Each structure stands twice: as structure tokens, then as C-alpha cells.
Amino acid sequence: MRYYARKLGFYAAALWAALTLNFFIPRMMPGNPVDTLLAKFQQRGGSVSPETRRAYELLLGTNSGEPLWDQYFSYLGNLARGDLGVSVSVYPATVSQVLSQSMMWTIMLVGIATVLSFVIGVGLGALVGWRRGSWLDSVIPATTVLAAVPYFWLALIFVLIFSTTLNWFPLNGGYDVSLATGWNWEFISSTIEHGFLPALTIVVSSVGGWLLGMRNMMVSTGSEDYILTARAKGLRDRRILTRYAARNAVLPSLAGFAISLGFVVSGSVITEQVFSYPGIGMKLLQSVENNDYALMQGIFLVITLAVLGANLIVDLLYGFIDPRTRVRN
């Protein structure tokens, strides 16, 4: 129990530190979200009075007349109530509305692609490492080269080949805008068609890292005493592979998977930019361009919670999978 209590205390402190940085870092950037919003208002022919500016400051939670520490505690209080503020870049929508609309797109695209790349990479890595020296080792150089290719370049190559030249997949977007959104097969098939190519880019570019890491761990694990003992007992190779070697070799990969799974919520900014995919990555770029403090803080908050939550779950599972972790701690 002390092991789990320490883990929970550590992540609680990490969450508080992340929330504090989430508040102060955007305010260190040049510019002001109120000025951005009022400039848009004036472009549409509106007049700005001191009372109008004061009202927008209160609305966006950037009261310039209030001390920074008071704003900080107000920010924490609003978070406790679930109030993330109003977005400047998509005004008058709230940050919660923007996140709810874009988060599902990112989770479905990057989440599924990340899980697939992990499962494929770890599975192939376990098999290649178990049969090291065989023809399967020839898979490693190809996947390593693909992992070393700049991500945006690989995405552009896929767009050129599969979208522009072969016309197999749509060029950009998340779905056919002429369709009505809903849980119907026509819309779902359109989202699958639009999301296949960016998902393929993510899988191809990241599977090599999982494969190489798992393969090296399998080679190291294969020389352990308990593997030799299992062979001496006459256990089948398949059982030794799955129950003994792979179970221990996958532990370092699980830690890396937790981090990558946490960053799924943030999406892949490059992916969504190249393919014009309507996820959180595009909203993050939009919020930075418009000095949208509230939306930036909301997105970073979701990223923080996802990363810490994923790492906490894996840490707790780590203690269950490997009892030695609890003993050392």
C-alpha cells in the first residue's frame, strides 16, 4: 500500500506543478487575447469603449487590473468548477465546447494508430528477438529507416502517391463535408476513408522504434537464468516466449507506451496540419496564432491529465506485473 500511496502523492504534486506552469507560461508570451478579440470586433465596425474592454477582460479571465496571484487563484477555482473559460479564436464558444468537438477526432485517429503501432512493433520485435539471426532480422533495417525519415516528409510523400497520383484516398479533411454528421454508415465510412492515410503515416513512422526496442530486450532476456531453466524443464518454446521472455521484455516498452498514449490527446500537430484534420492539434496551432490563453490552457490541461493519468495507470500495473518494483519502493 505504501508503494501505491507514494505514487499517488507524486502524481498529485506533478499535477499541481503542471497546472501552475499552465497558468504562467501563456502569460509570459507577448500579446493580449483581449486586444486580439477587440481588434476583430473593430474590423466588423464595432466601437470599443473602456466599459467594453473591461467586460471582455472579465469574460476571458484576463483582468489586467487584478494582481497576477489573484488571477492564479481564480484560475484554480474556475478549474475546480469545471469552467475553462471562453475561446478567443472561436468566440463565443467555450473552451469545453471546442475540446469536446475536436478531441474525439484526435483520439480516434492518433489513438488507434498509436495502439496499432505499439501492438505491431512489440509483436514483431518479440518474434524477431526470439529468432535472432534468422531472416526476420532483415525487417529491422527497413523499419529503422522509415522511423528515421522526417515525419512531415513521409506524410507529404504519402499524400503525393496515394492521394494525388493514385487518387486512392481523399487529399485532406476528416470527412466529406457534403454529408450530414451522425452515426450512420455513410458518414462513418467517409471518416474511415479520410483517416486511413494519416493513420498509416503514424503507424509506419513509429512501428520501427517499438520493434527495435522490443527486439533488443528480447535478446537480453533470452540469456537470463529463468529462460534457461524453463528450457531445461522441457517447456514448449511458445509458452517460454509468451509467459516468460516477452512478459519481462515488454516492461520498458510499457513505460514508453504510457507516455505516447498520453500524448494521443494532444494529437500530432504535423499530421493534422498536413492532412487538414480537424483535431486538437489544429486547435492548438489556432490558439497560439490568436493568443487564445483560455484554449491553450484547456488543451495543455487535457494533455497534462492524459500524460499523468496514463503514466499513473502504467506505474500501478508495473507494480502488479513485476512485484520486485513494490519491494524496491
Side-chain angles (χ1 to χ4, degrees):
M1 288 300 295
R2 187 169 64 178
Y3 167 80
Y4 295 110
R6 285 182 178 180
K7 290 296 181 182
L8 291 174
F10 169 78
Y11 281 103
L15 176 60
W16 170 79
L19 292 178
T20 302
L21 292 174
N22 193 23
F23 173 82
F24 284 104
I25 289 179
R27 285 162 175 77
M28 296 177 183
M29 299 173 60
N32 189 306
V34 177
D35 293 335
T36 302
L37 186 57
L38 292 180
K40 294 180 180 180
F41 184 65
Q42 288 177 318
Q43 289 175 357
R44 297 176 182 176
S47 59
V48 179
S49 63
E51 292 77 14
T52 304
R53 181 179 182 83
R54 172 65 175 169
Y56 278 113
E57 286 182 345
L58 294 175
L59 177 65
L60 299 177
T62 57
N63 187 0
S64 58
E66 187 179 17
L68 192 61
W69 284 107
D70 292 342
Q71 295 182 40
Y72 171 69
F73 288 114
S74 298
Y75 161 74
L76 294 180
N78 291 334
L79 282 183
R81 295 191 298 270
D83 182 9
L84 300 179
V86 179
S87 173
V88 173
S89 52
V90 287
Y91 183 82
T94 63
V95 173
S96 299
Q97 291 172 336
V98 176
L99 293 177
S100 63
Q101 292 171 1
S102 56
M103 189 183 303
M104 187 56 63
W105 291 99
T106 295
I107 292 176
M108 293 300 293
L109 170 65
V110 189
I112 294 176
T114 302
V115 173
L116 282 176
S117 63
F118 175 78
V119 172
I120 295 172
V122 167
L124 287 176
L127 186 60
V128 172
W130 187 248
R131 303 188 182 279
R132 60 188 182 277
S134 65
W135 64 270
L136 292 173
D137 277 335
S138 61
V139 177
I140 297 176
T143 56
T144 304
V145 168
L146 289 174
V149 172
Y151 185 80
F152 69 90
W153 188 82
L154 183 62
L156 291 174
I157 291 297
F158 278 9
V159 168
L160 176 63
I161 296 175
F162 297 108
S163 295
T164 305
T165 304
L166 299 177
N167 200 27
W168 287 358
F169 300 101
L171 184 61
N172 52 38
Y175 61 94
D176 188 348
V177 294
S178 64
L179 299 177
T181 59
W183 293 103
N184 55 80
W185 174 245
E186 190 175 15
F187 175 74
I188 293 174
S189 62
S190 177
T191 59
I192 294 174
E193 185 180 15
H194 282 74
F196 183 85
L197 194 57
L200 179 65
T201 308
I202 296 173
V203 171
V204 169
S205 63
S206 57
V207 72
W210 298 118
L211 190 154
L212 184 60
M214 186 63 179
R215 188 261 182 193
N216 292 338
M217 286 303 302
M218 284 293 294
V219 171
S220 176
T221 304
S223 61
E224 294 289 342
D225 292 339
Y226 58 86
I227 299 295
L228 298 177
T229 303
R231 290 184 185 277
K233 288 182 177 180
L235 298 179
R236 292 179 300 175
D237 276 0
R238 185 174 181 180
R239 184 178 181 184
I240 299 174
L241 169 63
T242 56
R243 297 290 299 274
Y244 295 91
R247 180 178 178 180
N248 289 279
V250 79
L251 292 177
S253 296
L254 280 177
F257 179 64
I259 298 175
S260 63
L261 194 61
F263 279 107
V264 161
V265 181
S266 66
S268 175
V269 177
I270 299 177
T271 303
E272 297 179 3
Q273 187 176 15
V274 171
F275 294 98
S276 298
Y277 200 79
I280 284 185
M282 289 294 291
K283 293 300 181 184
L284 179 58
L285 289 174
Q286 188 178 351
S287 65
V288 172
E289 291 172 355
N290 292 278
N291 293 324
D292 192 345
Y293 289 174
L295 185 55
M296 276 190 284
Q297 290 178 163
I299 293 175
F300 291 149
L301 174 63
V302 171
I303 296 172
T304 300
L305 292 176
V307 172
L308 291 178
N311 278 274
L312 174 60
I313 292 173
V314 170
D315 267 352
L316 298 180
L317 289 176
Y318 224 110
F320 176 76
I321 296 173
D322 188 358
R324 294 172 300 177
T325 307
R326 297 197 302 268
V327 173
R328 287 198 299 264
N329 289 275

